[in-house]
């Protein structure tokens, strides 16, 4: 068998991961703004060591290795997800949408909220995937770049459209064909994660902040601006402001975006680069305006009407967390049925009402309005056609590009 060494983590990638674990999206649960989660027992060095172990993948590129599906005889499915990324019942007990799935299908769901960070989780499952073994999970939820890596290594099973009628019909157009999974052959999005502009109207004197150019150049905001420490969000929005497409930019374009942000750093326009920790400063007004994650803003606005958001005319960045069936999973058909369950409109509405991120299910608005009219009219949860048309995804990167870009970005933000 041809030996293949999986992608190594460069020093820059490890540094980016540490940022994510300490104060990025990986440091917090998906739903809770304030509740931090631990990084788990696997260290970054341990992840790097796994990546360098030289274990051959079960199959190179393309479809995952053939697996025996035990779904018909074993009415169960094992689902790993992020913490607080599922609706819960009264008194924080039980998972109503999962219980409804079991009641209707007879398929028992073993649900585990054991994902705190993409890199950490990949470290848990990589040895089994590389050895062609079952990870013990039938369905996992991972962010774009990790889903792309798993597919590229041949460690994902291609989904059967026959088991996904609602998902196939109801998937929103903006999520239908990412460059790393054209036509959604291997994944379906669990939720979308937009990066937008947020501002505090008291801190801006009532002025709207609606462009990255204002963040970088407006002297009235000097020292009261923050950008995110996640490369794809901050660089992506800057590329858009420069008239470049984050889905097809060049090395020179990337360098131009870095230089533009560096200029704002040098003149002390930007106060700091942050993970989720910008939220307290934004709410208090210590940060007047910033690059922000939409899910945070939905939750901040519930307590502080001074916090507002803007979608730049040039567009905004969006990523997604995605459902994927790992290679050698025992219950692929059951997993597909569970994916499809969450694309039925009443179920999708119930989930969206709880987690407050972008719902990737088309046509869910009337069902969500039955639960909460304000959520149904919130474009950060249900983008209208005009907003959806302004969404942009950061293109897939090769290992070499990711290393080079993370090194330049780390230098920019002083990491």
């Amino acid at each position: 068998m041809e030996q293949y060494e999986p992608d190594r983590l460069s020093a820059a990638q490890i540094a980016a991961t540490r940022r994510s674990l300490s104060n990025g999206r990986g440091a917090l649960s998906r739903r809770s703004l304030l509740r931090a989660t631990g990084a788990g027992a696997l260290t970054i060095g341990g992840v790097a060591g796994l990546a360098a172990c030289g274990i051959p993948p079960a199959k190179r590129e393309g479809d995952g290795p053939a697996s025996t599906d035990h779904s018909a005889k074993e009415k169960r499915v094992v689902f790993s997800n992020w913490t607080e990324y599922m609706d819960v019942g009264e008194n924080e007990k039980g998972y109503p949408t999962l219980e409804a799935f079991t009641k209707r299908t007879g398929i028992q769901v073993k649900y585990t909220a054991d994902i705190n960070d993409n890199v950490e989780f990949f470290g848990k499952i990589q040895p089994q995937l590389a050895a062609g073994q079952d990870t013990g999970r039938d369905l996992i939820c991972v962010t774009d770049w990790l889903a792309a890596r798993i597919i590229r290594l041949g460690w994902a099973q291609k989904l059967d459209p026959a088991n996904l009628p609602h998902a196939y019909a109801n998937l929103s157009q903006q999520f239908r064909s990412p460059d790393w999974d054209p036509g959604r052959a291997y994944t379906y999005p669990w939720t979308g994660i937009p990066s937008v502009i947020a501002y505090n109207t008291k801190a801006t004197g009532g002025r709207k902040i609606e462009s990255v150019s204002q963040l970088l150049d407006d002297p009235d905001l000097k020292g009261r601006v923050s950008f995110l420490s996640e490369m794809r969000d901050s660089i992506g929005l800057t590329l858009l402001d420069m008239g470049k497409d984050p889905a097809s930019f060049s090395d020179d374009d990337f360098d131009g975006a870095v230089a533009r942000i560096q200029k704002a750093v040098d003149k002390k326009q930007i106060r700091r680069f942050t993970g989720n920790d910008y939220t307290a400063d934004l709410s208090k007004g210590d940060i007047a305006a910033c690059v922000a994650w939409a899910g945070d803003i939905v939750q901040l606005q519930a307590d502080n009407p001074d916090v507002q958001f803007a979608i730049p005319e040039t567009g905004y960045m969006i990523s997604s967390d995605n459902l994927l069936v790992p290679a050698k999973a025992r219950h692929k058909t059951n997993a597909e049925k569970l994916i499809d369950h969450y694309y039925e409109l009443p179920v999708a509405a119930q989930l969206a009402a709880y987690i407050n991120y972008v719902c990737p299910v088309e046509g869910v608005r009337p069902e969500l309005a039955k639960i909460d009219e304000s959520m149904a009219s919130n474009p950060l949860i249900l983008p209208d056609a005009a907003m959806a048309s302004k969404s942009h995804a950061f293109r897939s990167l090769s290992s070499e590009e990711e290393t080079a870009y993370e090194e330049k970005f780390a230098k920019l933000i002083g990491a």
Side-chain angles (χ1 to χ4, degrees):
M1 178 183 291
E2 178 185 6
Q3 293 290 308
Y4 174 70
E5 190 172 89
D7 298 344
R8 293 177 183 269
L9 289 178
S10 68
Q13 289 168 313
I14 292 171
T17 301
R18 286 189 177 127
R19 294 198 302 273
S20 180
L21 286 167
S22 62
N23 70 348
R25 284 200 300 126
L28 300 179
S29 71
R30 286 302 206 251
R31 181 172 184 267
S32 175
L33 200 58
L34 302 174
R35 179 179 170 187
T37 60
L42 185 64
T43 66
I44 302 301
V47 175
L50 285 170
C53 67
I55 299 173
K59 188 176 183 226
R60 292 290 303 277
E61 305 293 340
D63 293 354
S67 302
T68 302
D69 191 352
H70 300 269
S71 292
K73 293 183 178 180
E74 299 176 5
K75 292 291 188 179
R76 62 193 303 264
V77 61
V78 182
F79 181 12
S80 281
N81 202 352
W82 294 79
T83 55
E84 299 201 32
Y85 222 16
M86 179 66 71
D87 59 300
V88 298
E90 294 183 9
N91 301 318
E92 300 292 308
K93 294 181 179 179
Y95 303 107
T97 55
L98 288 176
E99 292 163 3
F101 173 76
T102 297
K103 183 177 180 179
R104 191 182 67 193
T105 65
I107 299 169
Q108 297 291 326
V109 182
K110 181 182 178 182
Y111 181 76
T112 308
D114 61 347
I115 305 178
N116 291 315
D117 175 80
N118 285 289
V119 173
E120 175 204 352
F121 182 68
F122 188 49
K124 291 180 182 179
I125 64 175
Q126 184 184 24
Q128 294 100 321
L129 290 171
Q133 299 170 353
D134 179 14
T135 66
R137 299 166 173 88
D138 302 303
L139 191 63
I140 61 176
C141 184
V142 293
T143 306
D144 292 347
W145 67 265
L146 181 53
R149 176 178 289 185
I150 292 172
I151 294 168
R152 186 173 70 246
L153 293 172
W155 294 343
Q157 296 195 53
K158 183 173 283 189
L159 301 174
D160 183 353
N163 295 323
L164 296 157
H166 296 97
Y168 183 82
N170 295 337
L171 177 61
S172 295
Q173 188 63 41
Q174 73 179 121
F175 295 104
R176 280 195 173 268
S177 196
D179 66 350
W180 49 269
D181 186 17
R184 291 288 180 180
Y186 295 91
T187 65
Y188 270 87
W190 181 251
T191 193
I193 307 165
S195 300
V196 298
I197 291 173
Y199 58 97
N200 184 311
T201 54
K202 278 190 175 179
T204 64
R207 289 192 308 128
K208 295 181 178 180
I209 308 301
E210 299 176 307
S211 72
V212 171
S213 290
Q214 285 177 278
L215 294 179
L216 294 174
D217 301 324
D218 187 339
D220 290 338
L221 298 177
K222 184 175 180 178
R224 299 187 297 149
V225 170
S226 68
F227 271 56
L228 291 171
S229 58
E230 296 288 348
M231 177 187 72
R232 288 167 176 80
D233 298 305
S234 289
I235 294 293
L237 281 167
T238 304
L239 285 168
L240 286 170
D241 194 69
M242 297 168 63
K244 305 296 183 180
D245 185 354
S248 61
F249 64 88
S250 66
D251 288 348
D252 287 343
D253 294 334
F254 184 91
D255 290 345
V258 169
R260 185 148 186 245
I261 300 174
Q262 184 67 60
K263 183 178 179 181
V265 171
D266 293 343
K267 66 183 182 182
K268 302 188 184 307
Q269 178 80 5
I270 295 176
R271 179 170 179 167
R272 62 193 183 106
F273 293 85
T274 75
N276 290 82
D277 50 325
Y278 67 85
T279 55
D281 286 344
L282 177 64
S283 187
K284 290 185 295 185
D286 292 341
I287 291 291
C290 62
V291 175
W293 287 307
D296 292 344
I297 303 311
V298 171
Q299 294 169 47
L300 280 179
Q301 287 181 322
D303 297 317
N304 187 347
D306 295 326
V307 175
Q308 299 294 320
F309 74 93
I311 304 301
E313 186 62 33
T314 54
Y316 66 99
M317 298 301 298
I318 194 161
S319 59
S320 58
D321 286 330
N322 308 276
L323 300 173
L324 177 151
V325 179
K328 293 296 183 179
R330 288 179 63 87
H331 310 108
K332 175 175 177 285
T333 297
N334 292 345
E336 291 166 339
K337 289 179 179 179
L338 184 56
I339 295 172
D340 198 60
H341 174 68
Y342 282 97
Y343 276 79
E344 295 187 32
L345 300 184
V347 180
Q350 193 169 344
L351 181 67
Y354 186 82
I355 63 176
N356 298 163
Y357 284 85
V358 168
C359 179
V361 182
E362 193 72 41
V364 76
R365 190 180 305 275
E367 294 292 336
L368 186 55
K370 294 176 185 177
I371 301 171
D372 189 318
E373 180 62 47
S374 65
M375 288 186 181
S377 60
N378 190 330
L380 296 182
I381 298 175
L382 293 183
D384 57 22
M387 180 172 169
S389 69
K390 292 184 177 181
S391 69
H392 297 265
F394 204 89
R395 70 171 173 83
S396 297
L397 302 178
S398 67
S399 296
E400 294 77 12
E401 285 178 323
E402 188 166 14
T403 296
Y405 292 168
E406 286 288 6
E407 286 176 351
K408 292 174 181 179
F409 189 70
K411 182 178 179 181
L412 167 68
I413 68 175

